[in-house]
Amino acid sequence: MSSEIKKIAVFTSGGDAPGMNAGIRAVVRACVYHNIEVFGVYRGYDGLIENDIVKLNARSVSNIIQRGGTILKSARCDEFRTPEGRQKAYENLKNRNIDALIAIGGNGTFTGLHVFYEQFGIPAICLPGTIDNDLPGMDYTIGYDTATNTAVEAIDKIRDTALSHNRLFFIEVMGRHSGYIAINSGIAGGAVSIVIPEAETPIDELIAQLDVGAENNKKSSLVVVAERGQSGSVWEIADQVKEKAPYYDIKVTILGHLQRGGSPTYFDRVLASRLGVAAVEGLLEGKKDVMIGVKDNQIVYVDFDRVNNQRHEIDDESLRLAKILSI
Ligand code: F6P
């Protein structure tokens, strides 16, 4: 592979996701393999602006494939939204002759890379690192599988106590504007109802569904609710049900950031490894200003307009499945 690119910097940005370390490792080792100098930027765009950049080698990423979080740390950075902030970042890269970037993050991370590319023409590829699985054009984001497994494990534990006390639990899972974690942890955890941000769940319908279960001898029920949905917060939903159906003994559990941590599953490690190597090779082949992903087991490149304007829709079949299984 011959290319003008001789030095690549890698960083993680936005909410961390299990598997980011496997992605960093893959980028670093693919660079070493192709004789490219590789640098790590700490704290995402903050580190680019503040010149928090170190040279990495194959050993810098030993023993991290199994670790959650990100060894490069992460941040959500406001200064990079300004032309002045981006100018500082550009100067820092120029001083080291770094000629391409690989970021691991979600929508916001890719937006930053895209704007930077438009301003300075630095080739850049973004790996989809977010537990939300909310990026279009690909099947899965790095971290989603682990986070969903974590949610299922927690839901199973709540089921034990729900059953012991004949209680109704509302369990909030993460997924900003995206019901992927909710729908699949709900199906896998045997939820009676799943509230996703993409659709409104009328309270009367939810209560009717719960009542059918109770009439059919269900002693306890679990409702999985994605955060920030059209139907309100998990507390609002639970309060409304409490008011209209006071015969249920209701509890609320918010799983929160525990879903972002933990050792990545084999699936997230392999996905991140494939994408990390493919991103380096994509840059060497001349790809720029794209998000990389896997769709139908093939590496794909998704452009900024698509990532910015489309959603990763939840398929109707998953919704139908959840409904059938809840009786
Ligand atoms: O985007 C990943 C995510 O974990 C969302 O599911 C959640 O809404 C958000 O990040 C939380 O962000 P923060 O850690 O900044 O509170």
Side-chain angles (χ1 to χ4, degrees):
M1 253 171 224
S2 74
S3 160
E4 295 301 298
I5 292 174
K6 301 285 177 247
K7 296 187 183 190
I8 294 178
V10 59
F11 61 95
T12 49
S13 165
D16 63 345
M20 280 183 161
N21 282 328
I24 296 166
R25 173 180 179 269
V27 168
V28 170
R29 297 217 169 147
C31 282
V32 173
Y33 180 83
H34 288 290
N35 292 318
I36 304 291
E37 261 188 78
V38 59
F39 295 82
V41 182
Y42 284 102
R43 299 176 291 114
Y45 290 113
D46 275 344
L48 269 189
I49 292 172
E50 291 165 25
N51 204 16
D52 200 356
I53 302 173
V54 294
K55 196 158 170 344
L56 300 175
N57 60 46
R59 293 287 70 75
S60 320
V61 290
S62 294
N63 303 313
I64 65 166
I65 195 167
Q66 79 288 5
R67 284 168 57 188
T70 157
I71 59 158
L72 292 177
K73 314 241 179 223
S74 195
R76 302 190 196 274
C77 173
D78 284 332
E79 198 183 348
F80 199 76
R81 293 177 207 275
T82 67
E84 297 75 27
R86 293 194 293 274
Q87 184 68 40
K88 284 188 209 164
Y90 176 69
E91 299 297 331
N92 291 331
L93 293 177
K94 212 173 71 178
N95 287 339
R96 293 173 193 264
N97 296 320
I98 292 171
D99 31 34
L101 292 173
I102 294 179
I104 312 178
N107 227 316
T109 304
F110 188 28
T111 303
L113 271 191
H114 172 70
V115 174
F116 198 62
Y117 173 75
E118 294 216 308
Q119 197 174 346
F120 299 106
I122 301 229
I125 294 189
C126 189
L127 267 66
T130 165
I131 65 167
D132 294 349
N133 203 28
D134 59 347
L135 297 170
M138 61 194 72
D139 293 328
Y140 299 107
T141 56
I142 297 164
Y144 163 69
D145 185 69
T146 307
T148 308
N149 276 303
T150 301
V152 171
E153 208 182 312
I155 291 168
D156 288 349
K157 289 181 175 162
I158 293 168
R159 176 180 287 281
D160 288 344
T161 177
L163 193 56
S164 302
H165 290 270
N166 292 350
R167 278 176 168 158
L168 165 60
F169 269 82
F170 288 85
I171 305 164
E172 187 194 271
V173 297
M174 270 188 168
R176 182 167 33 194
H177 315 307
S178 168
Y180 264 95
I181 297 177
I183 193 87
N184 285 321
S185 68
I187 290 171
V192 69
S193 183
I194 302 165
V195 181
I196 58 172
E198 292 88 342
E200 206 192 326
T201 305
I203 291 299
D204 291 336
E205 263 179 41
L206 175 59
I207 294 173
Q209 210 172 351
L210 292 167
D211 289 347
V212 168
E215 280 155 24
N216 284 324
N217 241 349
K218 274 195 187 189
K219 300 291 180 229
S220 64
S221 290
L222 308 178
V223 177
V224 171
V225 181
E227 61 175 341
R228 306 184 200 195
Q230 293 178 30
S231 314
S233 74
V234 70
W235 290 108
E236 285 162 353
I237 295 170
D239 281 348
Q240 288 176 62
V241 173
K242 204 176 272 181
E243 202 183 304
K244 291 189 167 184
Y247 38 91
Y248 289 114
D249 181 2
I250 293 176
K251 295 282 173 189
V252 171
T253 302
I254 295 176
L255 299 188
H257 285 78
L258 76 83
Q259 295 159 96
R260 288 244 294 263
S263 180
T265 57
Y266 104 84
F267 184 89
D268 278 327
R269 297 182 200 192
V270 173
L271 178 65
S273 299
R274 277 185 80 181
L275 292 176
V277 172
V280 171
E281 296 185 342
L283 281 173
L284 298 184
E285 283 161 7
K287 295 275 188 306
K288 52 191 84 159
D289 194 25
V290 284
M291 176 82 88
I292 192 168
V294 170
K295 174 127 191 97
D296 300 329
N297 209 24
Q298 301 296 317
I299 295 288
V300 291
Y301 298 94
V302 189
D303 66 24
F304 179 73
D305 280 347
R306 182 156 185 207
V307 172
N308 206 30
N309 296 320
Q310 275 186 16
R311 293 166 67 120
H312 191 192
E313 302 291 350
I314 290 186
D315 60 297
D316 292 343
E317 191 49 30
S318 293
L319 296 169
R320 203 176 77 87
L321 186 66
K323 198 163 189 154
I324 291 173
L325 296 175
S326 73
I327 56 172

